[in-house]
Amino acid sequence: MRVSALRRGLFLLGLAALLPSSVASSQSQTEDAIKHEAGRCAMRGQCGSESFIYPQLPCPDNGPAEKPDKTTRQKLVDICGEEWNEGGVCCDEDQVDALAENLGKAHQIISSCPACQKNFYNLFCTFTCSPDQSLFVNVTDTVTTNTGEEAVGELDNLWVTDYGKTFYDSCKDVKIGAAGSTVMTFFGNSKNYTELYAFLGKKSPFFGSPFQINFPDPEGREKDGMKAKTSVARACNDPDEKYRCACVDCPDSCPTLPELASEEECHVGLLPCLSFASILVYSILLALIGTAVAGHVVYRRHARRENERLRLLQDASPSDDEDEGDVVHNAGMLDRPQRNYRINSICDTAFARLGGASARYPVITIFSSILVVGLLSLGWLRFEVETDPVRLWVSPSSAAAEEKAFFDDNFGPFYRTEQVFLTNDTNPSGPGPVVDYEILRWWFDIENQVSRITSQGGDATLEDVCFNPTGDGCVVQSITGYFQGDFSNLNPSSWKEDLRDCINDPGADSCRPKFQLPLQKNLILGGLEEGQDPLKAPAMVVTWVIDNHVQGSEAGERAMQWEASLRNLIKGSFKQQAKDRGLRLSFSTEISLEEELNGSANTDAKIVVISYVIMFVYVSLALGSASLSTRAFLNNPATAMVQSKFTLGISGIIIVLMSVSASVGLFAAAGLKATLIIAEVIPFLVLAVGVDNIFLIVHELERVNHSHPDEEIDVRIAKALGRMGPSILLSALTETVAFVLGVFVGMPAVKNFAAYAAGAVVINAILQVTMFVAVLALNQRRVESNRIDCFPFIRMSHISSHIRGGVTYNVEEEESPLQRFIRKVYAPAVLNRQVKVGIIALFLGFFAAGIALLPNVSLGLDQRIAIPDGSYLIDYFNDLERYFDTGPPVYFVTRDVNATQREEQQKICGRFTTCNELNLPTVLEQESKRSEISYITGATADWFDDFFFWLSPDNPDCCIDKNNHVCFADRDPPWNKNLSGMPEGPEFIHYVTKWLSAPTTDTCPLGGKAPYSSAVVVNPNTTSIPASHFRTAHTPLRTQEDFISSYASARRIASEISSSQNISVFPYSKHYIFFDQYASIVSLTATLLGSALALILLITSLLLGSLATGALVTLTVLMILVDILGTMSLTGVSLNAVSLVNLVICVGIGVEFCAHIARAFMFPSRTVMEKAKNKFRGRDARAWTAMVNVGGSVFTGITVTKFVGVCVLAFTRSKIFEVYYFRVWLSLVVWAALHALVWFPVILSVVGGDGYVDPESDSGLDEDLAARRYRALLPDDDYDSDDY
């Protein structure tokens, strides 16, 4: 068995070590001769030992107490107090000296709590020297010693129960040093006073009492004159300030912290208030709609009966003067808009001129566009991709980033950790113990191999890169540390008992690892339940702590190279060795997560490329078949070769890619680093916007070709762009503004994405109205000269041509099946009155459901989602959650708090009588008692108190000056607990520097080198302490909510300390930098999306000339966003920076879905509107016109394109892509398409704004004649009033 000298000293303190070194009486005693009365002893002197290597045993001595000499009396008073200043005693000078020596050892760990110290001293002073010893001590057994004398072998020691309880309670919470353990770890982890007594009295000749001391219950034992010892025990919160302990050592002494304001969310029953309100309002609205519909039906029936009655009385035949035909055949045109909107007319004219110029000079336009894009793309030479998560997701100006920089600058970057879990859970019957002699033998060898491996491309070993605060050994938190990493220290016969002893007493000298900091069991053993034998632990945890350095430094690169060697060794050899032994090994290195994320991105890239290729192919084919009917193809297959627009589709795709390239080049030249999100998302976004515009321009040109076949190509293209250009401007402008708002977000990933996206959208819109128009003009020339698509040098001369362009124009040739379906079936169906009511009720229900689900949207990003399936880190994160029952360390950092000044000292000290009431250590101690709220647990490593107690002359082995003199032994004023005269200024700097280099030893556990050498920054030039930290720990954090709440709580605590003490304190933990975003992400999301919606309202109202229609566009985009957020809550997509980027995308694409339909509604095409005939009037007619005009383009250009591309993402191996891209984008496509194609035309037909004349559809006599010639070609029965 191995145990520390300190612990051994405490054992002996209870018994033999306190006994005299000379024989006080050699009188033999029999049981009948023992007297229990006042003024009489029970034992005194020494009568030899049971073996020459065993300690001396006391002699039974029932003689009277004797008065000591003056010297002995003074020594006794100095040790035990003034109450020993008179009367006889049962001890002599040698015994008092022994008492002083051993109590001095205990003093180091209990002196911080005066009550505990007093009770401890009183127990042993009374037991050793009380003149009434025989009243409460009874020798029950004797042994014969090696000198042939009779000595004490066992005794009873009777104390009143209240004393034991108060004694235990006064000591149980006393903290020891930086490790944060309590004194009870030195007393067998006693849980109550009986266990404490049992530990102190247990016979253990080598390391404890040389004889057995029993502390029996005094009830029933008080006989023959014996009586339980009554003595005043001091409570740790004793009214006498002389004995009162500080809050950190006594919960009852703590001030009450202010109650926290309740953070519980508003609920009505089980429902959040927002959900309840949403459901209630929708229910009321639905009831009102139902009531209105019912009332309308009743009214219509009544009116119909009245009309029938009137017809019987009147001649219903029309007059000969009435133009019945006009009423029947032209009712749909009666409400055609008559007003012009100046802004639209200006835009129409400008785009018409731009389109005409681009079509007249296509080659110049194309080459000019290529030249400009090429120049912008030169920025690729400065292209860089940012992969550092900190620089991606943390604003450089955020508090977390600034505090991390402060921490790194003053204390060095936070350590790099390499962690391994060794588990025995591969057996189908369940987990088994992992601690076994042979397993330990193997693991000692594994750690030796780790210590010998060298870095890749270098010769650095663990010793060169590890964190080594004392210079004595690397910090390796492992079960092997209990044996100093040396297998030879593992005794085959006693290793189990040795291990249990070290787990119970990790501060024991023989149990401390080379780096001197005690190893707590929860750091090295996992899966243990309360009270379970540590040898039955199913998991073993090993952590190598590596020194960190500034990124890019040579030392940092060396550490990462060593990590790479470790990773390869574990993956290649150690895991297999563990498997061969029936064990499972999981691990992570500091660089592992970043490497796996980058690997995930490479995997995603293939899926993304496939997705884009499929969308490209679809667009090219769909665009080519837009105006090519099946009948035309069957009648004359050669027509398909001419009418195909595959080349035009490819050109459109190339333009999309050019816009992306130009945007990337532009911002790369400006120094904005790209991100993987930009690479994966921007093409998707621009393709969604650009393809729709391409379809709109091409389809409009087809209509112009039919209505104006005799015009020149550049005139027709000018008309087409004049009509669609303002629509493109509307969508591009609103999307750009929405993205530009993201530039004002501090998060670099969002900011850079917003800049790249806005640039790509603007450049793409410019190229579409210039370069694509030029390509379109060339393509139209090819078609009208009957040249084959893709092979324009081949001409099909045998194709018949009824009109210019070689195409027989009739409605069947003009329309695709989709357009015909929308015109004849879909649009009339959704605009039916009864159907409209149902659609409005249904979509308002979707909106209400989305609002009701908003409170369920969680925050965070689980690391397991961010890595690809099959990654070795998945097992590690699972084991971390299952077996690691320790939270991350948290540091409360003081900034510019000069601890050399008394006023500042009182704000950060905790164990001195003049410390401020709500000082920093006290607040942290109190917060740890409400860990369910604070997420803080355990003791605080309080450097200031440990430093000042290290100075105490009661710890003679701690502070020693150059003359081997105890530092404060003769100081005036002396060391004291009220801080009067304690070190300040240069004296403080002198001693704190000395303390920070003092090692932690068995005789002085308060040395500062190991625990605090990097915790205090000393500036002797300014005689100040510019920075220091107080370390504590979080509770085990399992979920994203735990991590977010822990950060918020630490922020609250630091803010309260700073405010109450008027000092600068901030919290720091390694994970804070990544969770800082969640402190404001909800408000940021609301602000960003709200601002985008406000600007959309402004721009659409301005460009459309109608506040009502602009409001409907904004409302529809809002409904899409809310429904997407509701879907996120149902599909497990949490809100974080990644999903915030996607929500910004949803705004842009949501506008794209709605903008073209809104403009087609406000500026209806006359030629299309005429087809409505007499069934639709007013807004209904314009809504029908908008759907027929652009509905097909919205469906084929955005919906199908995006749906095809998104579906491919379902096959990704990356969980983050599957969750945050596939799920969000799929819900975007579905909800945006449903709202744009179902809800939006319906709500426009109900409350849309008044329309305007479309300049390109109302150009005077020539336009009217062209339109009439076109109408003359329509079959008479195709637009019959009863068939749409």
Side-chain angles (χ1 to χ4, degrees):
M1 178 183 295
R2 304 153 53 247
V3 75
S4 71
L6 176 58
R7 180 176 173 185
R8 179 167 60 248
L10 291 173
F11 278 31
L12 297 176
L13 176 63
L15 300 174
L18 305 179
L19 300 177
S21 57
S22 61
V23 179
S25 173
S26 58
Q27 175 185 355
S28 297
Q29 304 178 54
T30 65
E31 184 67 26
D32 295 335
I34 294 177
K35 296 179 181 180
H36 300 290
E37 59 186 18
R40 191 169 292 277
C41 303
M43 57 184 180
R44 183 164 42 196
Q46 293 183 171
C47 292
S49 62
E50 294 184 81
S51 170
F52 72 93
I53 60 174
Y54 284 9
Q56 294 287 310
L57 294 174
C59 303
D61 185 349
N62 200 214
E66 299 175 355
K67 287 188 177 183
D69 59 44
K70 187 176 181 180
T71 302
T72 304
R73 173 75 70 184
Q74 187 59 48
K75 289 182 179 180
L76 185 59
V77 170
D78 290 342
I79 299 169
C80 299
E82 292 296 327
E83 60 267 33
W84 295 87
N85 208 14
E86 57 184 25
V89 295
C90 289
C91 57
D92 60 13
E93 185 176 2
D94 290 335
Q95 192 170 1
V96 171
D97 290 339
L99 181 64
E101 179 183 352
N102 289 284
L103 286 177
K105 295 177 180 178
H107 177 85
Q108 298 177 24
I109 61 173
I110 62 175
S111 61
S112 62
C113 179
C116 174
Q117 178 180 337
K118 179 60 178 179
N119 295 332
F120 193 94
Y121 277 38
N122 185 53
L123 176 71
F124 290 108
C125 287
T126 302
F127 172 75
T128 307
C129 297
S130 172
D132 302 323
Q133 192 181 62
S134 66
L135 287 177
F136 58 92
V137 174
N138 182 44
V139 177
T140 58
D141 189 24
T142 58
V143 295
T144 302
T145 65
N146 56 357
T147 62
E149 297 178 274
E150 193 176 330
V152 175
E154 185 174 355
L155 60 76
D156 290 340
N157 191 4
L158 269 63
W159 287 74
V160 293
T161 302
D162 288 344
Y163 187 90
K165 290 180 178 180
T166 306
F167 171 37
Y168 176 81
D169 290 340
S170 68
C171 293
K172 66 179 181 180
D173 294 306
V174 177
K175 310 299 187 303
I176 305 173
S181 56
T182 67
V183 295
M184 288 304 139
T185 61
F186 289 88
F187 300 143
N189 288 310
S190 303
K191 301 296 188 295
N192 51 56
Y193 81 95
T194 57
E195 290 186 10
L196 174 61
Y197 279 163
F199 176 84
L200 294 175
K202 183 180 179 181
K203 181 179 180 179
S204 181
F206 285 113
F207 309 110
S209 171
F211 57 91
Q212 178 66 37
I213 274 191
N214 302 313
F215 289 85
D217 188 335
E219 186 175 352
R221 303 301 292 268
E222 295 180 323
K223 56 185 180 179
D224 299 328
M226 287 195 70
K227 187 176 181 180
K229 179 61 179 174
T230 58
S231 184
V232 177
R234 299 291 182 175
C236 64
N237 64 336
D238 197 274
D240 188 343
E241 289 191 4
K242 179 180 178 182
Y243 300 111
R244 187 180 304 159
C245 304
C247 171
V248 294
D249 295 321
C250 176
D252 294 333
S253 293
C254 293
T256 302
L257 295 182
E259 289 292 330
L260 296 179
S262 176
E263 298 182 1
E264 293 183 4
E265 296 180 355
C266 174
H267 278 75
V268 178
L270 298 177
L271 289 177
C273 289
L274 180 62
S275 304
F276 178 80
S278 175
I279 295 171
L280 179 62
V281 171
Y282 177 68
S283 300
I284 295 173
L285 186 61
L286 195 61
L288 292 175
I289 292 174
T291 303
V293 170
H296 180 71
V297 170
V298 171
Y299 172 77
R300 288 292 301 272
R301 288 178 179 175
H302 175 72
R304 187 164 54 248
R305 285 197 297 269
E306 289 293 324
N307 289 337
E308 289 173 353
R309 221 168 48 183
L310 288 174
R311 285 197 193 99
L312 294 176
L313 301 174
Q314 298 177 3
D315 183 7
S317 301
S319 170
D320 292 338
D321 296 333
E322 291 178 351
D323 187 358
E324 183 183 0
D326 286 343
V327 173
V328 173
H329 296 295
N330 295 304
M333 295 295 290
L334 293 180
D335 297 324
R336 184 166 65 92
Q338 302 298 320
R339 301 179 301 158
N340 286 298
Y341 184 50
R342 181 168 179 77
I343 292 179
N344 180 73
S345 300
I346 294 173
C347 292
D348 183 284
T349 302
F351 279 106
R353 290 178 179 175
L354 178 62
S358 299
R360 280 191 296 274
Y361 309 104
V363 176
I364 294 176
T365 302
I366 292 171
F367 278 101
S368 299
S369 301
I370 293 174
L371 178 61
V372 172
V373 171
L375 291 175
L376 290 175
S377 298
L378 290 176
W380 280 84
L381 296 174
R382 297 186 59 185
F383 178 76
E384 290 183 78
V385 176
E386 183 62 79
T387 58
D388 184 354
V390 173
R391 296 181 181 178
L392 278 177
W393 304 114
V394 182
S395 170
S397 60
S398 70
E402 293 174 353
E403 289 161 359
K404 180 181 185 300
F406 182 88
F407 188 93
D408 291 349
D409 291 343
N410 286 278
F411 309 113
F414 197 83
Y415 320 118
R416 308 177 69 88
T417 56
E418 334 296 332
Q419 194 168 59
V420 166
F421 284 89
L422 186 66
T423 60
N424 186 7
D425 58 4
T426 59
N427 195 318
S429 61
V434 74
V435 181
D436 175 82
Y437 184 80
E438 291 302 322
I439 292 175
L440 288 177
R441 179 201 295 273
W442 167 68
W443 192 254
F444 269 96
D445 182 61
I446 291 292
E447 290 191 11
N448 285 333
Q449 292 183 51
V450 170
S451 67
R452 294 195 302 269
I453 61 174
T454 56
S455 58
Q456 291 183 350
D459 56 359
T461 64
L462 174 62
E463 198 170 300
D464 298 317
V465 299
C466 72
F467 176 57
N468 188 346
T470 64
D472 298 325
C474 296
V475 176
V476 181
Q477 295 176 337
S478 168
I479 197 171
T480 63
Y482 287 144
F483 305 94
Q484 294 73 52
D486 188 349
F487 182 70
S488 64
N489 291 334
L490 196 72
N491 190 319
S493 60
S494 63
W495 71 271
K496 290 184 179 181
E497 190 174 354
D498 294 344
L499 184 57
R500 289 191 183 98
D501 286 338
C502 285
I503 288 173
N504 289 330
D505 184 10
D509 187 46
S510 58
C511 295
R512 283 202 299 265
K514 291 180 179 179
F515 59 91
Q516 294 301 306
L517 289 178
L519 289 168
Q520 304 298 328
K521 69 176 180 181
N522 54 351
L523 294 175
I524 58 176
L525 295 175
L528 279 175
E529 298 179 0
E530 185 67 28
Q532 185 180 5
D533 184 354
L535 296 181
K536 297 191 179 300
M540 197 162 68
V541 188
V542 180
T543 306
W544 290 270
V545 182
I546 306 301
D547 237 342
N548 207 351
H549 303 273
V550 177
Q551 191 173 17
S553 65
E554 182 179 346
E557 291 297 324
R558 185 168 65 247
M560 287 191 287
Q561 291 171 359
W562 186 88
E563 280 177 358
S565 297
L566 176 65
R567 178 202 59 212
N568 295 338
L569 189 61
I570 294 175
K571 289 180 69 175
S573 174
F574 294 172
K575 292 190 74 171
Q576 184 59 46
Q577 292 182 43
K579 186 176 180 181
D580 294 341
R581 288 165 172 79
L583 306 174
R584 181 176 58 81
L585 188 150
S586 63
F587 77 99
S588 172
T589 64
E590 186 71 22
I591 198 65
S592 290
L593 184 58
E594 187 173 333
E595 287 180 341
E596 290 297 289
L597 288 176
N598 292 338
S600 172
N602 294 333
T603 302
D604 297 337
K606 299 174 185 177
I607 298 294
V608 172
V609 169
I610 293 173
S611 174
Y612 290 147
V613 168
I614 291 176
M615 286 191 286
F616 294 164
V617 172
Y618 162 76
V619 169
S620 301
L621 294 176
L623 197 62
S625 62
S627 61
L628 185 64
S629 67
T630 304
R631 182 185 301 176
F633 178 78
L634 294 176
N635 291 340
N636 189 356
T639 303
M641 303 175 70
V642 174
Q643 290 295 312
S644 169
K645 293 184 178 61
F646 185 82
T647 302
L648 186 62
I650 291 295
S651 301
I653 299 301
I654 291 174
I655 287 173
V656 169
L657 297 179
M658 288 173 63
S659 66
V660 174
S661 175
S663 178
V664 171
L666 174 64
F667 291 107
L672 264 69
K673 289 187 177 182
T675 67
L676 296 174
I677 287 182
I678 290 174
E680 295 163 343
V681 174
I682 296 292
F684 178 93
L685 172 66
V686 180
L687 197 63
V689 175
V691 167
D692 187 37
N693 293 339
I694 290 171
F695 273 82
L696 287 169
I697 296 172
V698 171
H699 288 169
E700 186 60 27
L701 179 61
E702 290 296 325
R703 293 189 180 93
V704 174
N705 283 339
H706 285 276
S707 60
H708 298 77
D710 296 329
E711 297 283 3
E712 294 296 329
I713 291 176
D714 61 315
V715 175
R716 280 178 273 157
I717 288 179
K719 288 181 177 294
L721 188 62
R723 174 163 177 74
M724 286 300 149
S727 186
I728 294 173
L729 174 64
L730 173 62
S731 63
L733 187 57
T734 51
E735 290 157 7
T736 302
V737 169
F739 293 136
V740 166
L741 286 174
V743 174
F744 298 100
V745 176
M747 214 176 296
V750 178
K751 177 187 291 186
N752 294 5
F753 161 79
Y756 277 89
V761 169
V762 170
I763 295 171
N764 180 67
I766 294 172
L767 290 178
Q768 283 178 329
V769 297
T770 53
M771 182 176 176
F772 181 75
V773 167
V775 174
L776 184 61
L778 293 177
N779 182 75
Q780 189 63 29
R781 292 181 187 179
R782 176 193 62 76
V783 171
E784 295 186 6
S785 61
N786 294 337
R787 297 183 182 276
I788 297 176
D789 189 25
C790 300
F791 302 97
F793 49 84
I794 301 176
R795 183 171 183 174
M796 306 296 289
S797 56
H798 60 282
I799 297 179
S800 60
S801 177
H802 295 275
I803 319 176
R804 175 186 282 191
V807 182
T808 301
Y809 295 116
N810 58 54
V811 71
E812 297 295 338
E813 294 292 337
E814 176 199 357
E815 293 181 315
S816 68
L818 174 62
Q819 291 172 312
R820 192 157 51 250
F821 170 76
I822 293 174
R823 176 174 61 83
K824 300 183 68 173
V825 179
Y826 179 73
V830 297
L831 294 175
N832 179 275
R833 286 185 179 179
Q834 290 79 10
V835 174
K836 284 198 288 187
V837 173
I839 288 174
I840 291 173
L842 178 64
F843 277 81
L844 288 179
F846 288 149
F847 185 51
I851 293 175
L853 289 169
L854 287 181
N856 296 329
V857 177
S858 59
L859 304 180
L861 175 59
D862 192 329
Q863 295 179 102
R864 287 170 291 191
I865 292 180
I867 53 182
D869 290 342
S871 169
Y872 65 87
L873 287 181
I874 293 178
D875 284 341
Y876 168 76
F877 286 128
N878 289 336
D879 288 340
L880 187 67
E881 180 177 335
R882 185 182 302 121
Y883 295 119
F884 201 55
D885 196 31
T886 300
V890 54
Y891 303 84
F892 284 84
V893 181
T894 62
R895 180 164 41 189
D896 298 324
V897 178
N898 192 357
T900 67
Q901 300 174 0
R902 181 76 68 239
E903 183 180 357
E904 302 294 279
Q905 290 175 355
Q906 291 168 334
K907 298 174 181 178
I908 61 174
C909 69
R911 285 178 164 143
F912 294 85
T913 58
T914 57
C915 297
N916 292 353
E917 182 180 38
L918 292 177
N919 58 75
L920 191 154
T922 293
V923 171
L924 295 182
E925 177 66 22
Q926 283 295 79
E927 290 289 354
S928 70
K929 294 181 177 67
R930 54 182 186 184
S931 57
E932 71 284 353
I933 298 174
S934 67
Y935 292 86
I936 298 292
T937 187
T940 300
D942 178 357
W943 71 267
F944 184 88
D945 286 347
D946 284 354
F947 164 49
F948 266 26
F949 273 96
W950 177 81
L951 292 175
S952 172
D954 291 335
N955 299 320
D957 294 323
C958 289
C959 185
I960 307 295
D961 62 21
K962 294 180 180 179
N963 298 323
N964 204 30
H965 182 263
V966 177
C967 296
F968 273 54
D970 301 317
R971 186 176 185 271
D972 184 24
W975 190 95
N976 60 83
K977 295 195 69 174
N978 60 19
L979 296 180
S980 176
M982 293 293 281
E984 291 184 88
E987 186 185 25
F988 184 98
I989 296 295
H990 167 73
Y991 281 117
V992 79
T993 303
K994 184 179 182 68
W995 172 66
L996 290 173
S997 61
T1000 302
T1001 64
D1002 183 50
T1003 57
C1004 183
L1006 297 176
K1009 183 177 182 180
Y1012 297 119
S1013 58
S1014 60
V1016 184
V1017 178
V1018 180
N1019 189 338
N1021 296 326
T1022 59
T1023 316
S1024 65
I1025 306 294
S1028 67
H1029 66 63
F1030 295 75
R1031 187 186 73 250
T1032 182
H1034 279 303
T1035 56
L1037 306 177
R1038 308 294 188 194
T1039 65
Q1040 291 292 291
E1041 183 180 358
D1042 288 345
F1043 280 100
I1044 295 169
S1045 298
S1046 71
Y1047 175 59
S1049 176
R1051 278 265 172 228
R1052 172 189 61 78
I1053 295 169
S1055 176
E1056 291 174 355
I1057 294 173
S1058 300
S1059 177
S1060 68
Q1061 300 301 306
N1062 194 28
I1063 57 177
S1064 177
V1065 178
F1066 68 84
Y1068 178 80
S1069 189
K1070 194 174 183 180
H1071 68 276
Y1072 287 174
I1073 194 75
F1074 301 108
F1075 288 88
D1076 178 64
Q1077 58 178 285
Y1078 300 108
S1080 60
I1081 196 165
V1082 174
S1083 59
L1084 174 62
T1085 302
T1087 302
L1088 193 59
L1089 299 183
S1091 301
L1093 291 171
L1095 289 173
I1096 288 171
L1097 173 61
L1098 177 65
I1099 294 170
T1100 52
S1101 299
L1102 182 65
L1103 293 183
L1104 295 176
S1106 170
L1107 179 61
T1109 303
L1112 291 179
V1113 172
T1114 306
L1115 173 63
T1116 303
V1117 175
L1118 173 63
M1119 293 173 70
I1120 292 170
L1121 283 174
V1122 169
D1123 288 341
I1124 290 172
L1125 285 165
T1127 305
M1128 286 170 57
S1129 73
L1130 294 175
T1131 56
V1133 181
S1134 54
L1135 180 61
N1136 50 51
V1138 177
S1139 49
L1140 176 57
V1141 169
N1142 280 330
L1143 288 174
V1144 175
I1145 292 175
C1146 291
V1147 173
I1149 295 183
V1151 171
E1152 182 70 22
F1153 268 94
C1154 301
H1156 302 303
I1157 295 176
R1159 191 181 182 280
F1161 172 81
M1162 291 301 299
F1163 304 94
S1165 170
R1166 181 171 123 177
T1167 55
V1168 176
M1169 192 172 182
E1170 285 181 339
K1171 303 176 189 178
K1173 294 299 181 179
N1174 69 326
K1175 186 166 186 178
F1176 297 109
R1177 300 286 299 272
R1179 294 188 184 91
D1180 284 348
R1182 287 190 285 130
W1184 182 90
T1185 301
M1187 288 299 295
V1188 173
N1189 194 16
V1190 299
S1193 298
V1194 171
F1195 182 78
T1196 56
I1198 302 183
T1199 307
V1200 178
T1201 304
K1202 294 299 112 210
F1203 185 78
V1204 169
V1206 167
C1207 286
V1208 177
L1209 299 181
F1211 299 99
T1212 180
R1213 284 181 57 236
S1214 170
K1215 196 69 176 175
I1216 191 171
F1217 231 78
E1218 188 267 324
V1219 172
Y1220 289 99
Y1221 292 95
F1222 171 70
R1223 296 181 189 177
V1224 175
W1225 288 355
L1226 182 61
S1227 65
L1228 166 63
V1229 172
V1230 172
W1231 285 119
L1234 286 175
H1235 280 80
L1237 298 174
V1238 181
W1239 155 267
F1240 195 48
V1242 169
I1243 200 66
L1244 284 174
S1245 72
V1246 177
V1247 291
D1250 295 334
Y1252 298 95
V1253 172
D1254 179 20
E1256 291 300 330
S1257 299
D1258 195 34
S1259 302
L1261 180 62
D1262 293 340
E1263 178 74 25
D1264 185 63
L1265 290 175
R1268 289 179 182 276
R1269 172 163 51 165
Y1270 166 63
R1271 292 198 302 274
L1273 295 174
L1274 300 178
D1276 291 337
D1277 60 346
D1278 190 67
Y1279 290 93
D1280 184 78
S1281 61
D1282 295 327
D1283 185 11
Y1284 295 90

